[in-house]
Amino acid sequence: MSKITAFLPCRKGSQRVPKKNIKPFGHFSFGLIEVKLKQLISANRIDEIILSTNDEEILSYAESLSSQKLKIHVRDNSLCTSETSTDDLVAHADSLVDEGHILWTHVTSPFVNQNVYDSLVISYLNALKTGHDSLMTANEIHGFIWDQDKPISYDRTKEKWPRTQTITPLYELNSAAFIASKEIYQIKKDRIGDQPYIHVLDKIVGFDIDWVEDFVIAESITQNKLAQL
C-alpha cells in the first residue's frame, strides 16, 4: 500500500470561536488539537502526519509529543490569514508531501477518531478499484431542501409533500476528510479528483465545530458519551 500522509492545517486565531484549536475541550487541556493529534497518531493506516501551523502554543504542544509519525511545519503567516484561500493551502499541502496519498483533515471534527480514519483509508483504497479517484466525507440529507425560489431535493409537480425517506438524498460535505493521491494534487491542483467517492458519516461522527454553539454541543456530546473520541 502506498504511503498515507495526514495533512492537518491549523492556523493561529479564530474569528468565530476564540482560540478554537487550543481552547480546553472536555478533559483535554490542550483542546481540539490534543484530541486530533492523538487520534491521528493512533490510526494504524496513517503513516505520517504533517501539522502545518503558525500558532506558537500549538507548536509547543506538538513538540512535546513523542511520535515519529508527527512532522511539524511552521507555516508562513502569509498563508494564515482569513483571506487565505483553500486553493493556496492545496498547493501548500502538495509542497509538503513527497509521495503517496494525502488525507486532509481538521481538528474541528473531534468525533472522527482513529478507527474512523482507518475505515476511511480502507474505503478510499476500495473506491480506487471501482473507478473513483478520491474520497470526501459528507452528511446525507433526506429533507425538503429549497433554494430562494423552489425545492431542489424533490419535485412538487409530482408530489407536494413526499415522505422524507423517499426523497433522493443530497450530500453536505462536512470537511472531516478528503483523500487523494499526490498526483491529483499536482495535476488537478485540488484535494479531490474528477470522480470522488462520497463517504457518508454518521451525523454525530461528522459533526463539525464552526461556531461557539457547535463547540458547546460537541462538549455535551462528549460528556454524555454519545461518541468516542
Side-chain angles (χ1 to χ4, degrees):
M1 183 181 76
S2 297
K3 180 180 178 182
I4 303 291
T5 300
F7 172 69
L8 182 65
C10 256
R11 73 179 178 89
K12 183 177 182 179
S14 172
Q15 293 180 320
R16 296 168 181 167
V17 185
K19 289 197 167 185
K20 176 174 62 179
N21 297 330
I22 56 176
K23 176 183 173 70
F25 179 78
H27 65 278
F28 294 91
S29 57
F30 281 93
L32 297 175
I33 187 63
E34 179 181 356
V35 172
K36 189 51 59 186
L37 286 178
K38 287 182 176 179
Q39 291 168 338
L40 291 170
I41 289 170
S42 298
N44 294 321
R45 292 182 175 271
I46 291 176
D47 303 301
E48 184 176 77
I49 305 151
I50 296 179
L51 168 65
S52 175
T53 184
N54 68 327
D55 191 314
E56 296 86 356
E57 292 180 86
I58 291 178
L59 289 167
S60 177
Y61 171 72
E63 288 167 356
S64 73
L65 300 178
S66 55
S67 173
Q68 294 184 344
K69 290 173 67 171
L70 179 60
K71 309 299 180 186
I72 303 170
H73 175 79
V74 182
R75 199 195 315 171
D76 190 275
N77 286 328
S78 64
L79 281 173
C80 298
T81 71
S82 57
E83 287 76 37
T84 300
S85 73
T86 300
D87 288 351
D88 291 334
L89 286 182
V90 166
H92 177 60
D94 180 33
S95 72
L96 296 177
V97 179
D98 295 329
E99 60 177 336
H101 306 272
I102 302 171
L103 188 159
W104 181 314
T105 191
H106 297 99
V107 301
T108 49
S109 299
F111 307 120
V112 177
N113 61 28
Q114 57 267 31
N115 295 325
V116 177
Y117 282 119
D118 285 342
S119 70
L120 288 174
V121 173
I122 292 171
S123 181
Y124 167 68
L125 295 175
N126 287 334
L128 293 181
K129 299 174 184 176
T130 58
H132 297 281
D133 58 7
S134 49
L135 176 147
M136 55 189 182
T137 57
N139 300 325
E140 189 173 83
I141 302 175
H142 281 276
F144 304 113
I145 310 299
W146 285 56
D147 60 19
Q148 291 292 326
D149 304 308
K150 61 186 182 303
I152 59 176
S153 63
Y154 67 104
D155 186 349
R156 281 179 58 84
T157 65
K158 295 182 178 179
E159 188 175 7
K160 291 183 175 64
W161 299 108
R163 290 176 297 140
T164 54
Q165 61 266 37
T166 66
I167 294 176
T168 300
L170 293 174
Y171 300 94
E172 178 188 17
L173 302 189
N174 51 38
S175 296
F178 301 87
I179 313 179
S181 67
K182 163 81 173 177
E183 184 179 17
I184 292 288
Y185 275 69
Q186 291 183 313
I187 296 175
K188 299 294 182 182
K189 311 301 181 187
D190 201 350
R191 57 186 175 180
I192 59 170
D194 295 329
Q195 298 293 328
Y197 174 74
I198 299 176
H199 184 105
V200 175
L201 293 176
D202 172 271
K203 185 178 292 188
I204 291 180
V205 172
F207 188 83
D208 178 62
I209 299 175
D210 198 17
W211 301 91
V212 172
E213 55 266 35
D214 297 330
F215 196 97
V216 174
I217 292 169
E219 280 200 303
S220 178
I221 290 172
T222 302
Q223 291 164 358
N224 287 282
K225 299 180 179 180
L226 298 177
Q228 181 181 357
L229 294 176

